[in-house]
Amino acid sequence: MTFPPVDAPTSTPVDFPLSPAHTSAAIWEGVTRRAAEWLEANGLPARDAVLLLPFAQHLAPARRAWMKLSRWQPRIETTHSLASALGPSALPQGEQLTGDAAIDALAARALMRGQSWAEALRKEDPRAYDAAVQRLVEAAHALARAAVLRDPARRHEFWEHGRQALAAQSGVGHLERALLAVALEWAASDPRAPATDALFALRPSAWLHLQCGGPDPLAEALLASAEAAGIPCLRLNADLPLDAAFDGGAPVGLLEQAVCDDFEDLAQCSAASVLDHLQAGRAPVALIAQDRVLLRRVRALLERQGLGIQDETGWTLATTAPAAQLMAMLRAARRDATVDDWLAWLKTPLAVSLREKGGSASLSALEAHCRKRGWSAPQAVRADRLPPGSERLWEAAREALIPLQPRGAQALEAWIEALKQTLKDLGADEQLHRQPAGGPQVLETLWLSKTPWPGSGHEAVLRGAQLTASEFVDWVSQTLEAGEYKPPLEGGLQIMITPLARTMLRPFGAIVLPGADAATLGPVPPGPVLIGDTFARELGLPTVEGKRQALAWQFAQLLRAPAVTLLRRGHLGSEPLAASPLLDRLDLALQAVGQTLPHWHDPRIETTVPTTHVDRAAAQAQGRLPSALSASAVESLRQCPYQFFARVLLGLREAGELDVQADKRDYGTWLHAVLHQFHTERVEARDPQLDDAARLQRAAQDQMRELGLAPAEFLPYSASFARFVPAYLGWLKEREAEGQRFERGEVDRRVHPWAEIEPALAELALLGRIDRIDDAADGQLLIDYKTGSLKGLKDKVANPLEDTQLAVYAVLMGSPALPPLPLAGEGRVRASGLGSPPARCVRSTWPWTTPRALPRSSTNTWRRPPA
């Protein structure tokens, strides 16, 4: 036996077909007149009757139309407005559904904690467990909403039938069935009577109900109960069959369609259509929010015209600026936060008090130092190496986030209190209050500016739910995602952004629907994942077919408007995009009465922009010549003068990324520091009891801590280093047996090689840092550590003229007094008259087994004979 979705009506409804007398503006006079005539014909006092309407937006036009009749007015309400006037809903108690998805998700976790199958899933796959909790809450909310729409006397039958339908289900997994069973019993166990139950106890002189957009289960159940009690009922039906909408004649308003080329063309045509309707005096214009991404672009185009726009759909609270600023602060407080996360928070208005402590330039200096030194993790930032202002800023920021730092699980209420105290200490709570675009709503939604009622379900969850720091951040994110912000109207109303369903029977001057294609207008939103179509049909819940029919009813109501413009794209990328099935049905209905859907006239004006000849820009370097050049700058000049001009003279370069994962750049910096520490301690004979292998391993650990490298992220390089140590020490032993000794490392050199050669460049310095200088029997050796590809290094020095670094390093070790001499290597080269001493290029390499992503390593050695 199938449970009926609603109680079938026993009276014949009064229809309002499409006609000039039943347009969206004129239909209210017909509805009120027909209702008044019915009340008078049956001798029913209008003042004791109740007229129920589909939406709250219908109340004002219906009341105005009744006032024109100069008769006693019935009570004109919606089911929910009437129920709210009769009394408030009871507060949810502990473990009862609250309707707040984020709060109920925490309650669901507590509910599932005692289930063995749920605990097994949580331990085996935490992400699948989180998804299961969300699906459980989603199903419980859907079942609770469906139960509220039932006659209280038959609600017990609804739950019993749900249990029977669940037991009879086949082809459903054990996990899905278990979750649906928990959702069903959770919703059924709520003993509270919804506020709408009071409607069934009312005894007005008559019930009148206007149906539009499909059957209203609550209204139908209410009228069926009233008829059983002997109360007269009148059903008014404004629904239009789309396929036969024009059986009574031609369209009553202007209909037009437009096929656009792409996304931008569709947005521009939609905005132009709205402006065209306003210029024609059709105000206000309803702009249907069918595609939110497209609508954002259309709204941006319309806001440039200074129009009064009201948005009934609202924005997700998480997309507002205050929510983004708050989430930036919470992400910075996480254990796995990066320096980028900290910088993103410090740039927000919530950290303005911290920036004031550091000074106006402290934040930019902090960011520059972090990017220059490659500090990607907050643990790597050395405050003592920062400028004074940046140091104060960094230390103040670290202290401010201490209350939000991870310290194990604690009650949600404690986390909220810590967040509230942090905002107060920073003065950020006032900053949020002053931000009109969602600031007060963010504070209220997160329970930062309000407290739950004592004994309520919200209070039970806030006090009982134990969350870790990351779980608290996730809860805040989910709560903001579920919240809604509706911007206030500025100026007079000219454009109303609203869903398709809310355009029905509203006196708009025109309606513009962008996105009337098969991908946007046609697919219906899916129901809860756990509730399939078969189960939904058994319980009378919305099915896919029912939603599709309701969408057709809503679309058909557009035909009552004075003017309707339907716009769509003809292509989605390279693929053709068909029109919406609803548009095709509308076209067939027009063809049945000998008409077609006319094409939209584009009101946009084409403007010819005259071409203007622009001369090529001439480079002007006055006052921008550098005072010093590095090896990389010389290489840039040799490779591409334009690149040299942009990078060196203009100083244009991308800011370095602060990658969280250790990369080859971090590895190279670490290797240089390790080898420098190793050789320095070896020369100074520190801790003589340590052998070279232990000394090298200690240097590796010291520099890992010094650079703030996470051991887990650096593990591939650490594993390779363990294999490198014996190979390097073997190579070092061979060199020392030949008389080679470490002299010094990380040597900064600065020379003026052009003083005598080119007087104009006398003040231009050549600078660089030499990784290592060794003494040998036949002179000094300049050693440069390389962590790049061995093959790439060999290819680079195969032709010595192509290696700029060889020549520059030789010059850096020379003296301007010495005459220019050739360099010796595989081929004899002259250092371009740089005034370098004689040197011999010797390439030494050692084998190195490295991580997959890391090339083999090598050294470059430049040998300088004694003077």
Side-chain angles (χ1 to χ4, degrees):
M1 180 183 70
T2 301
F3 191 83
V6 295
D7 297 295
T10 59
S11 61
T12 303
V14 177
D15 294 327
F16 293 88
L18 185 63
S19 69
H22 297 153
T23 62
S24 56
I27 192 173
W28 292 109
E29 296 181 4
V31 167
T32 54
R33 185 174 60 254
R34 184 65 183 86
E37 291 173 354
W38 181 80
L39 289 172
E40 291 180 358
N42 291 274
L44 301 172
R47 63 182 182 181
D48 297 328
V50 178
L51 172 60
L52 297 177
L53 303 178
F55 298 110
Q57 290 81 3
H58 297 153
L59 297 178
R63 289 168 180 167
R64 285 196 298 266
W66 203 290
M67 290 175 63
K68 292 181 180 179
L69 298 177
S70 299
R71 301 180 186 179
W72 198 279
Q73 182 173 305
R75 186 165 188 172
I76 303 176
E77 302 279 357
T78 66
T79 51
H80 293 286
S81 67
L82 181 57
S84 299
L86 295 176
S89 299
L91 288 174
Q93 303 301 307
E95 298 185 355
Q96 292 178 356
L97 285 172
T98 65
D100 186 328
I103 291 291
D104 288 339
L106 298 178
R109 290 175 181 273
L111 196 65
M112 295 172 62
R113 193 169 295 127
Q115 306 289 335
S116 57
W117 55 271
E119 287 298 312
L121 177 63
R122 183 179 62 84
K123 295 178 181 178
E124 179 182 350
D125 192 344
R127 299 183 70 177
Y129 178 78
D130 293 338
V133 169
Q134 298 301 325
R135 292 176 179 179
L136 168 62
V137 173
E138 182 184 48
H141 284 178
L143 292 169
R145 287 193 299 268
V148 168
L149 304 179
R150 305 292 166 184
D151 187 336
R154 302 188 59 185
R155 191 168 294 140
H156 179 72
E157 298 178 19
F158 172 80
W159 295 120
E160 286 299 322
H161 190 75
R163 296 184 181 98
Q164 296 173 13
L166 179 60
Q169 272 195 324
S170 59
V172 180
H174 295 292
L175 176 61
E176 287 77 7
R177 183 178 297 181
L179 289 171
L180 185 54
V182 173
L184 181 66
E185 297 303 331
W186 189 14
S189 64
D190 193 342
R192 293 175 298 156
T196 52
D197 282 3
L199 300 177
F200 292 85
L202 284 180
R203 292 295 181 264
S205 62
W207 286 102
L208 302 91
H209 173 238
L210 175 64
Q211 176 178 305
C212 185
D216 182 345
L218 178 58
E220 292 296 338
L222 178 60
L223 266 63
S225 174
E227 288 178 331
I231 301 176
C233 298
L234 175 65
R235 291 174 173 82
L236 306 166
N237 181 26
D239 283 334
L240 295 175
L242 180 59
D243 301 309
F246 305 108
D247 286 355
V252 298
L254 171 66
L255 287 176
E256 53 188 1
Q257 69 165 336
V259 181
C260 306
D261 296 331
D262 52 25
F263 176 89
E264 181 61 24
D265 187 40
L266 177 59
Q268 292 185 13
C269 290
S270 301
S273 177
V274 172
L275 296 174
D276 190 42
H277 286 307
L278 290 175
Q279 190 173 7
R282 306 185 191 106
V285 177
L287 184 60
I288 298 179
Q290 199 67 26
D291 185 339
R292 295 298 301 179
V293 177
L294 172 66
L295 198 64
R296 282 198 292 268
R297 177 58 180 156
V298 177
R299 176 166 185 159
L301 294 172
L302 293 173
E303 284 179 339
R304 300 174 183 176
Q305 307 299 322
L307 301 174
I309 303 175
Q310 184 170 4
D311 192 345
E312 288 188 339
T313 60
W315 305 337
T316 301
L317 195 56
T319 63
T320 62
Q325 296 162 17
L326 186 64
M327 287 302 302
M329 185 179 73
L330 292 176
R331 280 192 290 267
R334 297 182 65 156
R335 187 186 304 276
D336 57 350
T338 65
V339 171
D340 269 331
D341 293 330
W342 281 69
L343 293 175
W345 162 53
L346 291 174
K347 293 176 182 178
T348 66
L350 303 189
V352 64
S353 62
L354 298 177
R355 297 197 298 271
E356 291 174 352
K357 291 182 180 179
S360 58
S362 59
L363 181 56
S364 57
L366 171 63
E367 182 173 5
H369 274 72
C370 290
R371 297 194 183 281
K372 179 180 179 180
R373 299 178 181 272
W375 290 335
S376 59
Q379 298 80 5
V381 177
R382 299 294 299 271
D384 55 339
R385 298 183 181 180
L386 294 172
S390 299
E391 181 181 4
R392 292 194 302 271
L393 171 63
W394 183 256
E395 293 297 342
R398 292 178 67 91
E399 184 179 354
L401 291 188
I402 289 177
L404 298 175
Q405 294 294 331
R407 54 179 180 273
Q410 62 179 0
L412 175 57
E413 187 179 46
W415 283 114
I416 293 175
E417 190 60 34
L419 177 58
K420 184 188 302 184
Q421 187 62 42
T422 301
L423 292 174
K424 183 178 180 180
D425 294 342
L426 292 172
D429 52 349
E430 294 298 326
Q431 286 284 345
L432 288 175
H433 270 296
R434 287 196 294 267
Q435 297 188 46
Q441 289 85 348
V442 167
L443 294 174
E444 184 176 351
T445 301
L446 296 177
W447 300 91
L448 295 170
S449 62
K450 67 176 183 178
T451 55
W453 285 97
S456 65
H458 290 89
E459 183 188 56
V461 171
L462 294 179
R463 291 184 176 180
Q466 297 290 315
L467 303 181
T468 62
S470 61
E471 290 173 341
F472 172 65
V473 176
D474 292 340
W475 175 83
V476 172
S477 178
Q478 294 170 11
T479 303
L480 294 176
E481 285 288 344
E484 186 180 65
Y485 168 70
K486 293 183 178 180
L489 173 65
E490 296 182 2
L493 176 62
Q494 294 173 285
I495 302 171
M496 177 73 74
I497 300 175
T498 186
L500 177 61
R502 293 189 185 178
T503 60
M504 298 188 298
L505 305 185
R506 296 178 67 180
F508 291 115
I511 298 177
V512 176
L513 195 161
D517 52 70
T520 307
L521 181 63
V524 295
V529 176
L530 299 178
I531 300 178
D533 226 36
T534 302
F535 186 79
R537 189 176 298 107
E538 287 286 332
L539 266 69
L541 272 68
T543 62
V544 172
E545 184 59 33
K547 293 176 183 177
R548 192 173 291 118
Q549 179 58 51
L551 182 62
W553 277 323
Q554 296 166 11
F555 181 76
Q557 291 298 324
L558 299 179
L559 304 177
R560 298 186 188 273
V564 179
T565 303
L566 307 169
L567 304 103
R568 65 180 180 89
R569 279 184 285 180
H571 292 82
L572 184 59
S574 59
E575 297 293 329
L577 185 59
S580 169
L582 297 176
L583 203 61
D584 291 337
R585 292 171 62 182
L586 174 61
D587 200 12
L588 290 174
L590 284 169
Q591 293 178 23
V593 295
Q595 297 192 25
T596 58
L597 190 59
H599 291 283
W600 173 68
H601 170 69
D602 192 346
R604 293 178 294 175
I605 301 174
E606 292 186 2
T607 303
T608 302
V609 179
T611 58
T612 304
H613 176 73
V614 179
D615 295 328
R616 177 179 293 181
Q620 299 293 331
Q622 288 84 354
R624 291 186 176 275
L625 291 177
S627 60
L629 295 177
S630 64
S632 60
V634 175
E635 176 72 10
S636 177
L637 179 59
R638 295 184 63 198
Q639 295 293 334
C640 178
Y642 296 102
Q643 183 185 88
F644 175 84
F645 180 81
R647 291 185 176 179
V648 180
L649 271 68
L650 299 182
L652 303 178
R653 55 178 53 87
E654 295 181 359
E657 292 294 334
L658 298 176
D659 297 324
V660 178
Q661 297 294 332
D663 57 12
K664 288 186 290 185
R665 181 177 181 273
D666 298 319
Y667 158 72
T669 303
W670 171 78
L671 175 64
H672 281 65
V674 168
L675 294 178
H676 180 63
Q677 177 181 335
F678 167 72
H679 285 288
T680 302
E681 292 182 352
R682 201 163 173 262
V683 169
E684 297 175 356
R686 298 182 194 174
D687 299 328
Q689 70 277 10
L690 292 179
D691 59 11
D692 286 343
R695 193 187 305 278
L696 197 55
Q697 290 288 358
R698 185 179 69 176
Q701 296 299 321
D702 290 346
Q703 293 304 319
M704 191 176 297
R705 288 191 297 270
E706 180 74 12
L707 297 175
L709 298 173
E713 297 173 0
F714 209 67
L715 184 60
Y717 302 107
S718 299
S720 297
F721 185 76
R723 294 190 294 271
F724 154 74
V725 169
Y728 178 75
L729 294 179
W731 172 85
L732 182 64
K733 185 177 180 180
E734 293 177 4
R735 294 294 177 269
E736 290 181 341
E738 298 173 357
Q740 181 176 328
R741 293 291 184 272
F742 174 85
E743 178 188 346
R744 48 188 168 153
E746 302 299 327
V747 180
D748 290 322
R749 299 284 294 176
R750 185 184 183 96
V751 298
H752 293 79
W754 295 281
E756 298 181 1
I757 301 173
E758 182 60 54
L761 302 178
E763 299 300 324
L764 181 61
L766 189 67
L767 53 84
R769 170 173 290 186
I770 299 173
D771 294 343
R772 173 174 160 187
I773 302 175
D774 281 11
D775 282 330
D778 55 350
Q780 287 184 322
L781 280 80
L782 313 183
I783 300 177
D784 189 68
Y785 304 124
K786 294 294 183 184
T787 56
S789 167
L790 179 60
K791 180 180 182 303
L793 180 62
K794 287 183 175 180
D795 293 342
K796 187 175 183 180
V797 298
N799 184 357
L801 286 173
E802 296 303 317
D803 188 15
T804 305
Q805 194 174 32
L806 286 173
V808 171
Y809 276 31
V811 172
L812 289 174
M813 290 302 296
S815 169
L818 295 177
L821 294 174
L823 290 171
E826 293 185 4
R828 298 182 64 83
V829 300
R830 189 170 183 83
S832 304
L834 295 179
S836 60
R840 182 161 54 88
C841 173
V842 180
R843 289 173 298 283
S844 302
T845 64
W846 60 79
W848 196 343
T849 304
T850 60
R852 186 173 184 181
L854 183 66
R856 297 175 64 84
S857 299
S858 60
T859 61
N860 264 4
T861 306
W862 298 276
R863 187 180 300 275
R864 175 188 176 191

